[in-house]
Amino acid sequence: MAPYMLIRTLRANVLADPTRATCGHAASPRSSARICRGKFAVAAISDDYLPMRSIEAKKRTSKVDITSLRLITAVKTPYLPDGRFDLEAYDYLINMQIEGGAEGVIVGGTTGEGHLMSWDEHIMLIGHTVNCFGTRIKVIGNTWSNSTGEAVHATEQGFAVGMHAALHINPYYGKTSTEGMIAHFKAVLPMGPTVIYNVPSRTGQDILPPVIEALSSHPNMAGVKECIGHERIKCYTDKGISVWSGNDDECHDSRWKYGATGVISVTSNLVPGLMHSLMYEGENASLNEKLLPLIKWLFCQPNPIPLDTALAQLGVPRPVLRLPYKTLPLEKRVEFVRIVEAIGREHFIGKKEARVLDDEDFISICR
Protein backbone atom coordinates (compact mmCIF):
# COMPACT_ATOMS: atom_id res chain seq x y z
CA MET A 1 0.00 0.00 0.00
CA ALA A 2 1.32 3.46 -0.87
CA PRO A 3 2.44 5.47 2.20
CA TYR A 4 -0.16 8.20 1.76
CA MET A 5 -2.92 5.59 1.43
CA LEU A 6 -1.70 3.92 4.62
CA ILE A 7 -1.80 7.25 6.46
CA ARG A 8 -5.34 7.92 5.22
CA THR A 9 -6.43 4.42 6.25
CA LEU A 10 -4.94 4.76 9.72
CA ARG A 11 -6.50 8.16 10.14
CA ALA A 12 -9.90 6.80 9.11
CA ASN A 13 -9.55 3.94 11.60
CA VAL A 14 -8.74 6.28 14.47
CA LEU A 15 -11.57 8.66 13.63
CA ALA A 16 -14.03 5.77 13.32
CA ASP A 17 -13.01 4.32 16.70
CA PRO A 18 -11.01 6.65 18.98
CA THR A 19 -10.21 3.77 21.33
CA ARG A 20 -8.14 2.06 18.64
CA ALA A 21 -4.41 2.62 18.52
CA THR A 22 -2.58 2.88 15.23
CA CYS A 23 -1.60 -0.28 13.29
CA GLY A 24 -4.69 -2.12 14.52
CA HIS A 25 -3.45 -2.79 18.06
CA ALA A 26 -5.75 -2.45 21.03
CA ALA A 27 -5.51 0.93 22.70
CA SER A 28 -3.65 1.23 25.96
CA PRO A 29 -4.92 3.73 28.55
CA ARG A 30 -2.24 6.09 27.34
CA SER A 31 -3.00 5.73 23.64
CA SER A 32 -6.70 6.17 24.31
CA ALA A 33 -5.88 9.73 25.40
CA ARG A 34 -5.62 10.54 21.71
CA ILE A 35 -7.43 13.64 20.54
CA CYS A 36 -9.27 13.09 17.27
CA ARG A 37 -11.06 16.37 16.79
CA GLY A 38 -9.74 18.58 13.97
CA LYS A 39 -8.01 17.95 10.70
CA PHE A 40 -6.02 14.96 11.93
CA ALA A 41 -5.63 12.85 15.05
CA VAL A 42 -2.96 14.12 17.41
CA ALA A 43 -1.44 12.80 20.61
CA ALA A 44 -2.49 14.32 23.89
CA ILE A 45 0.24 16.40 25.54
CA SER A 46 1.44 14.89 28.81
CA ASP A 47 4.30 15.72 31.15
CA ASP A 48 6.57 13.14 29.52
CA TYR A 49 5.67 14.08 25.93
CA LEU A 50 8.71 13.92 23.64
CA PRO A 51 8.74 16.35 20.71
CA MET A 52 9.21 14.74 17.31
CA ARG A 53 12.28 16.78 16.41
CA SER A 54 15.44 16.19 14.45
CA ILE A 55 19.01 17.03 15.43
CA GLU A 56 19.72 17.78 11.76
CA ALA A 57 16.76 20.17 11.66
CA LYS A 58 18.10 21.94 14.74
CA LYS A 59 21.43 22.45 12.95
CA ARG A 60 19.68 24.04 9.97
CA THR A 61 18.46 27.18 11.69
CA SER A 62 18.55 28.98 15.00
CA LYS A 63 16.64 31.67 16.81
CA VAL A 64 19.39 34.18 15.92
CA ASP A 65 18.81 33.48 12.21
CA ILE A 66 15.22 34.65 12.65
CA THR A 67 15.76 37.61 14.97
CA SER A 68 18.09 39.22 12.41
CA LEU A 69 15.37 39.48 9.74
CA ARG A 70 14.12 43.00 9.00
CA LEU A 71 11.62 42.37 6.19
CA ILE A 72 9.39 39.30 6.28
CA THR A 73 6.56 39.03 3.76
CA ALA A 74 3.28 37.34 4.62
CA VAL A 75 3.08 35.85 1.14
CA LYS A 76 -0.05 35.35 -0.95
CA THR A 77 -1.14 31.87 -2.10
CA PRO A 78 -2.39 31.85 -5.74
CA TYR A 79 -4.81 29.29 -7.19
CA LEU A 80 -5.60 27.53 -10.43
CA PRO A 81 -9.20 27.73 -11.72
CA ASP A 82 -9.96 24.28 -10.27
CA GLY A 83 -8.89 25.40 -6.80
CA ARG A 84 -5.47 23.76 -6.54
CA PHE A 85 -2.38 25.83 -5.80
CA ASP A 86 -0.85 27.64 -8.76
CA LEU A 87 2.74 26.72 -7.94
CA GLU A 88 4.13 28.45 -11.02
CA ALA A 89 2.61 31.76 -9.91
CA TYR A 90 3.60 31.07 -6.30
CA ASP A 91 7.23 30.48 -7.29
CA TYR A 92 7.19 33.74 -9.21
CA LEU A 93 5.93 35.57 -6.12
CA ILE A 94 8.68 34.07 -3.95
CA ASN A 95 11.34 34.96 -6.52
CA MET A 96 10.04 38.53 -6.58
CA GLN A 97 10.38 38.66 -2.79
CA ILE A 98 13.95 37.44 -2.93
CA GLU A 99 14.86 39.91 -5.68
CA GLY A 100 13.17 42.73 -3.79
CA GLY A 101 15.17 42.11 -0.63
CA ALA A 102 12.73 40.25 1.63
CA GLU A 103 14.64 37.94 3.97
CA GLY A 104 11.77 35.75 5.10
CA VAL A 105 8.28 34.66 4.11
CA ILE A 106 5.29 33.57 6.17
CA VAL A 107 3.74 30.58 4.38
CA GLY A 108 0.05 29.88 4.88
CA GLY A 109 -0.59 32.76 7.27
CA THR A 110 -3.66 34.98 7.21
CA THR A 111 -2.50 36.64 3.99
CA GLY A 112 -1.63 33.24 2.53
CA GLU A 113 -5.08 31.91 3.51
CA GLY A 114 -3.83 28.99 5.56
CA HIS A 115 -7.22 28.90 7.28
CA LEU A 116 -8.74 27.89 3.91
CA MET A 117 -6.30 25.00 3.39
CA SER A 118 -6.38 21.39 4.42
CA TRP A 119 -3.35 20.40 6.49
CA ASP A 120 -2.17 18.28 3.56
CA GLU A 121 -2.07 21.39 1.37
CA HIS A 122 -0.60 23.47 4.15
CA ILE A 123 2.37 21.25 4.96
CA MET A 124 2.96 20.56 1.26
CA LEU A 125 3.25 24.28 0.55
CA ILE A 126 5.70 24.77 3.42
CA GLY A 127 7.78 21.84 2.13
CA HIS A 128 7.65 23.11 -1.45
CA THR A 129 8.84 26.56 -0.35
CA VAL A 130 11.73 25.09 1.62
CA ASN A 131 12.74 22.70 -1.18
CA CYS A 132 12.78 25.40 -3.84
CA PHE A 133 13.87 28.50 -1.92
CA GLY A 134 15.06 27.49 1.53
CA THR A 135 18.71 28.35 0.86
CA ARG A 136 17.79 31.86 -0.32
CA ILE A 137 15.08 32.97 2.09
CA LYS A 138 13.89 31.97 5.56
CA VAL A 139 10.63 30.01 5.54
CA ILE A 140 8.37 30.62 8.52
CA GLY A 141 5.40 28.27 8.48
CA ASN A 142 2.06 29.13 10.00
CA THR A 143 1.29 26.02 12.03
CA TRP A 144 -1.05 27.62 14.53
CA SER A 145 -4.30 26.14 15.74
CA ASN A 146 -6.72 26.86 18.56
CA SER A 147 -6.25 23.22 19.53
CA THR A 148 -2.91 22.79 21.31
CA GLY A 149 -2.57 19.17 20.21
CA GLU A 150 -3.19 20.08 16.59
CA ALA A 151 -0.72 22.97 16.78
CA VAL A 152 1.95 20.62 18.17
CA HIS A 153 1.33 18.05 15.44
CA ALA A 154 1.35 20.60 12.61
CA THR A 155 4.50 22.23 13.98
CA GLU A 156 6.27 18.88 14.16
CA GLN A 157 5.36 18.27 10.54
CA GLY A 158 6.41 21.76 9.47
CA PHE A 159 9.87 21.41 10.97
CA ALA A 160 10.13 17.86 9.60
CA VAL A 161 9.68 19.21 6.05
CA GLY A 162 12.28 21.89 6.65
CA MET A 163 10.74 25.18 7.75
CA HIS A 164 13.10 27.48 9.60
CA ALA A 165 10.61 28.78 12.15
CA ALA A 166 6.96 28.53 13.17
CA LEU A 167 4.35 31.25 13.56
CA HIS A 168 1.78 30.81 16.35
CA ILE A 169 -1.20 32.77 17.60
CA ASN A 170 -3.11 32.37 20.83
CA PRO A 171 -6.15 30.05 20.77
CA TYR A 172 -8.99 31.94 19.08
CA TYR A 173 -12.79 31.63 19.40
CA GLY A 174 -12.46 29.10 22.21
CA LYS A 175 -10.39 31.57 24.21
CA THR A 176 -8.37 30.50 27.22
CA SER A 177 -6.88 31.99 30.40
CA THR A 178 -3.46 33.59 30.77
CA GLU A 179 -2.18 30.32 32.23
CA GLY A 180 -3.72 28.41 29.33
CA MET A 181 -2.04 30.69 26.80
CA ILE A 182 1.36 30.19 28.40
CA ALA A 183 0.84 26.41 28.47
CA HIS A 184 -0.25 26.44 24.81
CA PHE A 185 2.88 28.26 23.67
CA LYS A 186 5.14 26.15 25.90
CA ALA A 187 3.80 23.05 24.16
CA VAL A 188 4.94 24.24 20.71
CA LEU A 189 8.18 26.05 21.59
CA PRO A 190 10.32 22.90 21.97
CA MET A 191 9.96 22.14 18.23
CA GLY A 192 12.11 25.00 16.98
CA PRO A 193 12.39 28.80 16.57
CA THR A 194 8.98 30.39 17.09
CA VAL A 195 7.39 33.78 16.42
CA ILE A 196 4.26 34.53 18.46
CA TYR A 197 1.65 36.62 16.66
CA ASN A 198 -0.59 38.98 18.60
CA VAL A 199 -3.60 40.13 16.53
CA PRO A 200 -6.57 40.67 18.87
CA SER A 201 -8.77 41.96 16.03
CA ARG A 202 -8.77 38.39 14.67
CA THR A 203 -8.33 36.22 17.76
CA GLY A 204 -10.59 38.23 20.06
CA GLN A 205 -7.99 38.19 22.84
CA ASP A 206 -4.86 40.24 23.51
CA ILE A 207 -1.62 38.45 24.37
CA LEU A 208 -0.58 40.68 27.25
CA PRO A 209 3.08 41.40 28.08
CA PRO A 210 3.19 39.06 31.12
CA VAL A 211 2.56 36.13 28.76
CA ILE A 212 5.40 37.10 26.42
CA GLU A 213 7.71 37.86 29.33
CA ALA A 214 7.02 34.42 30.82
CA LEU A 215 8.08 32.83 27.51
CA SER A 216 10.96 35.14 26.58
CA SER A 217 13.66 33.05 28.26
CA HIS A 218 12.84 29.94 26.23
CA PRO A 219 15.74 29.20 23.84
CA ASN A 220 13.35 28.90 20.86
CA MET A 221 11.39 32.11 21.51
CA ALA A 222 12.42 34.26 18.53
CA GLY A 223 10.06 37.16 19.15
CA VAL A 224 6.63 38.66 18.62
CA LYS A 225 4.66 39.95 15.65
CA GLU A 226 2.76 42.71 17.41
CA CYS A 227 -0.35 44.51 16.13
CA ILE A 228 -1.26 46.58 19.21
CA GLY A 229 1.00 49.51 18.31
CA HIS A 230 4.10 51.52 19.13
CA GLU A 231 3.84 51.55 22.92
CA ARG A 232 3.51 47.77 23.13
CA ILE A 233 6.49 47.42 20.81
CA LYS A 234 8.57 49.73 23.02
CA CYS A 235 7.50 47.71 26.06
CA TYR A 236 9.18 44.67 24.51
CA THR A 237 12.23 46.32 22.98
CA ASP A 238 13.02 47.93 26.36
CA LYS A 239 13.18 44.38 27.76
CA GLY A 240 15.36 43.06 24.92
CA ILE A 241 12.55 41.04 23.28
CA SER A 242 12.61 40.99 19.48
CA VAL A 243 9.42 42.32 17.94
CA TRP A 244 8.17 42.91 14.41
CA SER A 245 5.46 45.40 13.59
CA GLY A 246 2.32 43.73 12.30
CA ASN A 247 0.92 47.02 11.04
CA ASP A 248 2.30 48.24 7.72
CA ASP A 249 1.02 51.78 8.31
CA GLU A 250 3.05 52.00 11.55
CA CYS A 251 6.11 49.95 10.66
CA HIS A 252 8.37 52.86 9.66
CA ASP A 253 8.01 54.60 13.02
CA SER A 254 8.00 51.29 14.91
CA ARG A 255 11.34 50.42 13.32
CA TRP A 256 13.12 53.77 13.63
CA LYS A 257 11.52 55.38 16.69
CA TYR A 258 10.45 52.47 18.89
CA GLY A 259 13.13 49.87 18.25
CA ALA A 260 11.22 47.20 16.32
CA THR A 261 13.37 44.59 14.57
CA GLY A 262 11.38 45.13 11.37
CA VAL A 263 8.01 44.30 9.86
CA ILE A 264 6.00 41.25 8.84
CA SER A 265 4.32 42.85 5.88
CA VAL A 266 1.38 42.50 3.50
CA THR A 267 2.39 45.51 1.38
CA SER A 268 5.73 43.92 0.47
CA ASN A 269 3.84 41.39 -1.65
CA LEU A 270 3.41 44.29 -4.10
CA VAL A 271 6.46 46.54 -3.53
CA PRO A 272 9.15 44.49 -1.79
CA GLY A 273 11.96 46.82 -2.84
CA LEU A 274 10.31 49.90 -1.34
CA MET A 275 9.48 48.07 1.87
CA HIS A 276 13.09 46.89 2.07
CA SER A 277 14.23 50.51 1.78
CA LEU A 278 11.79 51.50 4.52
CA MET A 279 13.32 48.94 6.89
CA TYR A 280 16.99 49.34 5.99
CA GLU A 281 17.82 52.86 4.87
CA GLY A 282 17.05 54.88 7.96
CA GLU A 283 14.18 57.23 8.65
CA ASN A 284 12.48 58.22 5.43
CA ALA A 285 9.27 60.10 6.10
CA SER A 286 8.89 60.94 2.41
CA LEU A 287 8.89 57.28 1.31
CA ASN A 288 6.60 56.33 4.18
CA GLU A 289 4.15 59.05 3.16
CA LYS A 290 4.31 57.89 -0.44
CA LEU A 291 3.34 54.34 0.56
CA LEU A 292 0.53 55.20 2.99
CA PRO A 293 -2.24 55.50 0.34
CA LEU A 294 -1.36 52.00 -0.90
CA ILE A 295 -1.24 50.64 2.64
CA LYS A 296 -4.56 52.25 3.51
CA TRP A 297 -6.09 50.78 0.35
CA LEU A 298 -4.78 47.29 1.20
CA PHE A 299 -6.78 47.35 4.42
CA CYS A 300 -9.99 48.95 3.14
CA GLN A 301 -11.55 45.49 3.58
CA PRO A 302 -10.28 42.53 5.61
CA ASN A 303 -6.92 41.20 4.44
CA PRO A 304 -6.34 39.40 2.03
CA ILE A 305 -9.27 40.62 -0.10
CA PRO A 306 -7.58 43.82 -1.37
CA LEU A 307 -4.24 42.06 -1.92
CA ASP A 308 -5.90 39.31 -3.94
CA THR A 309 -7.56 42.00 -6.06
CA ALA A 310 -4.34 43.99 -6.50
CA LEU A 311 -2.19 41.05 -7.59
CA ALA A 312 -4.81 39.95 -10.10
CA GLN A 313 -4.91 43.45 -11.58
CA LEU A 314 -1.12 43.42 -11.88
CA GLY A 315 -1.45 40.24 -13.95
CA VAL A 316 0.70 38.14 -11.65
CA PRO A 317 -1.63 35.32 -10.48
CA ARG A 318 -4.88 34.32 -12.08
CA PRO A 319 -7.92 36.21 -10.71
CA VAL A 320 -9.08 33.19 -8.69
CA LEU A 321 -10.31 33.60 -5.12
CA ARG A 322 -11.25 30.93 -2.61
CA LEU A 323 -14.55 31.62 -0.90
CA PRO A 324 -15.52 33.26 1.35
CA TYR A 325 -13.32 35.93 -0.26
CA LYS A 326 -14.72 38.04 -3.07
CA THR A 327 -13.06 40.81 -5.04
CA LEU A 328 -13.28 44.48 -4.11
CA PRO A 329 -16.00 46.61 -5.75
CA LEU A 330 -15.26 48.33 -9.05
CA GLU A 331 -14.53 51.77 -7.59
CA LYS A 332 -11.80 50.27 -5.38
CA ARG A 333 -10.31 48.42 -8.34
CA VAL A 334 -10.12 51.70 -10.24
CA GLU A 335 -8.54 53.39 -7.23
CA PHE A 336 -5.79 50.77 -7.10
CA VAL A 337 -4.71 51.45 -10.67
CA ARG A 338 -4.44 55.16 -9.85
CA ILE A 339 -2.32 54.37 -6.79
CA VAL A 340 0.02 52.28 -8.94
CA GLU A 341 0.39 55.18 -11.38
CA ALA A 342 1.13 57.61 -8.52
CA ILE A 343 3.83 55.43 -6.94
CA GLY A 344 5.24 54.20 -10.27
CA ARG A 345 4.55 50.89 -11.99
CA GLU A 346 8.28 50.08 -11.94
CA HIS A 347 8.17 49.64 -8.15
CA PHE A 348 5.52 46.91 -8.26
CA ILE A 349 6.06 43.24 -9.03
CA GLY A 350 5.04 41.83 -12.41
CA LYS A 351 5.65 42.99 -15.94
CA LYS A 352 2.16 43.76 -17.19
CA GLU A 353 0.44 47.11 -16.94
CA ALA A 354 -2.00 47.45 -14.07
CA ARG A 355 -5.54 47.29 -15.37
CA VAL A 356 -9.06 47.37 -13.99
CA LEU A 357 -10.62 43.91 -14.15
CA ASP A 358 -14.35 43.44 -14.60
CA ASP A 359 -16.51 41.47 -12.19
CA GLU A 360 -16.77 38.58 -14.63
CA ASP A 361 -12.96 38.29 -14.82
CA PHE A 362 -12.83 36.95 -11.27
CA ILE A 363 -13.44 33.30 -10.45
CA SER A 364 -14.76 32.27 -7.03
CA ILE A 365 -14.16 28.70 -5.91
CA CYS A 366 -15.18 26.77 -2.82
CA ARG A 367 -12.78 23.80 -3.01
Side-chain angles (χ1 to χ4, degrees):
M1 182 181 294
Y4 72 91
M5 288 299 295
L6 178 59
I7 292 169
R8 292 184 65 180
T9 301
L10 292 175
R11 178 186 175 190
N13 288 341
V14 173
L15 292 175
D17 183 358
T19 64
R20 293 181 63 181
T22 57
C23 302
H25 299 299
S28 67
R30 187 166 166 179
S31 66
S32 65
R34 192 165 288 271
I35 302 169
C36 294
R37 184 180 177 188
K39 297 178 183 176
F40 39 54
V42 292
I45 307 301
S46 61
D47 292 339
D48 58 350
Y49 179 78
L50 295 176
M52 188 182 72
R53 58 188 173 188
S54 159
I55 298 300
E56 293 303 316
K58 288 184 69 176
K59 291 178 185 176
R60 186 179 57 250
T61 190
S62 70
K63 179 176 76 172
V64 176
D65 294 330
I66 305 304
T67 57
S68 64
L69 307 179
R70 302 291 185 200
L71 176 60
I72 302 170
T73 297
V75 71
K76 151 76 177 167
T77 305
Y79 306 108
L80 295 168
D82 65 1
R84 291 173 299 140
F85 295 154
D86 185 343
L87 292 179
E88 184 177 356
Y90 179 81
D91 292 351
Y92 180 83
L93 292 175
I94 301 294
N95 275 314
M96 289 297 95
Q97 292 306 309
I98 294 168
E99 290 180 20
E103 302 147 298
V105 287
I106 304 292
V107 178
T110 307
T111 307
E113 303 176 18
H115 47 287
L116 303 186
M117 299 176 190
S118 69
W119 277 116
D120 287 345
E121 291 178 311
H122 207 139
I123 300 301
M124 179 276 281
L125 192 61
I126 292 172
H128 171 81
T129 311
V130 172
N131 288 336
C132 296
F133 306 101
T135 60
R136 301 162 61 200
I137 197 166
K138 294 299 181 187
V139 178
I140 303 170
N142 158 29
T143 52
W144 73 52
S145 173
N146 56 354
S147 158
T148 302
E150 187 166 281
V152 167
H153 189 79
T155 303
E156 287 177 335
Q157 289 193 333
F159 280 113
V161 300
M163 70 183 186
H164 300 105
L167 183 71
H168 282 284
I169 58 175
N170 48 310
Y172 48 90
Y173 186 73
K175 295 180 287 187
T176 186
S177 63
T178 296
E179 293 76 13
M181 256 194 256
I182 293 171
H184 176 82
F185 290 128
K186 282 186 174 180
V188 296
L189 276 164
M191 314 302 164
T194 300
V195 176
I196 292 177
Y197 180 15
N198 186 32
V199 56
S201 63
R202 289 186 180 271
T203 64
Q205 189 174 28
D206 188 9
I207 305 174
L208 295 171
V211 174
I212 299 302
E213 291 161 17
L215 301 168
S216 62
S217 61
H218 194 286
N220 284 332
M221 176 62 174
V224 186
K225 177 185 177 183
E226 182 57 72
C227 294
I228 288 294
H230 297 314
E231 294 305 320
R232 181 69 63 84
I233 284 174
K234 188 174 187 301
C235 168
Y236 292 138
T237 57
D238 285 350
K239 294 179 172 65
I241 298 170
S242 297
V243 57
W244 292 266
S245 173
N247 300 324
D248 283 359
D249 60 339
E250 297 181 346
C251 70
H252 172 269
D253 288 355
S254 289
R255 169 81 174 98
W256 300 110
K257 296 180 180 179
Y258 296 90
T261 298
V263 63
I264 297 178
S265 176
V266 175
T267 308
S268 54
N269 277 276
L270 302 174
V271 287
L274 294 182
M275 292 301 294
H276 181 271
S277 296
L278 209 62
M279 291 297 101
Y280 269 94
E281 297 178 6
E283 287 192 52
N284 190 336
S286 175
L287 176 58
N288 189 49
E289 192 70 24
K290 184 177 183 178
L291 287 171
L292 283 177
L294 173 63
I295 295 170
K296 181 179 178 182
W297 183 91
L298 278 169
F299 294 92
C300 67
Q301 285 193 16
N303 178 45
I305 296 167
L307 178 64
D308 289 349
T309 304
L311 286 168
Q313 294 203 149
L314 291 172
V316 180
R318 293 172 172 85
V320 179
L321 290 82
R322 278 191 179 181
L323 290 171
Y325 298 128
K326 298 286 288 184
T327 186
L328 290 179
L330 179 60
E331 61 269 22
K332 285 295 180 182
R333 303 201 296 266
V334 171
E335 184 183 346
F336 173 70
V337 173
R338 291 174 181 159
I339 291 172
V340 172
E341 292 169 353
I343 294 175
R345 177 64 183 89
E346 68 276 11
H347 297 297
F348 287 76
I349 68 167
K351 298 177 181 179
K352 298 178 182 178
E353 287 302 311
R355 65 190 185 96
V356 178
L357 295 180
D358 296 325
D359 289 345
E360 56 267 24
D361 292 325
F362 290 91
I363 301 170
S364 296
I365 53 173
C366 59
R367 180 179 183 271

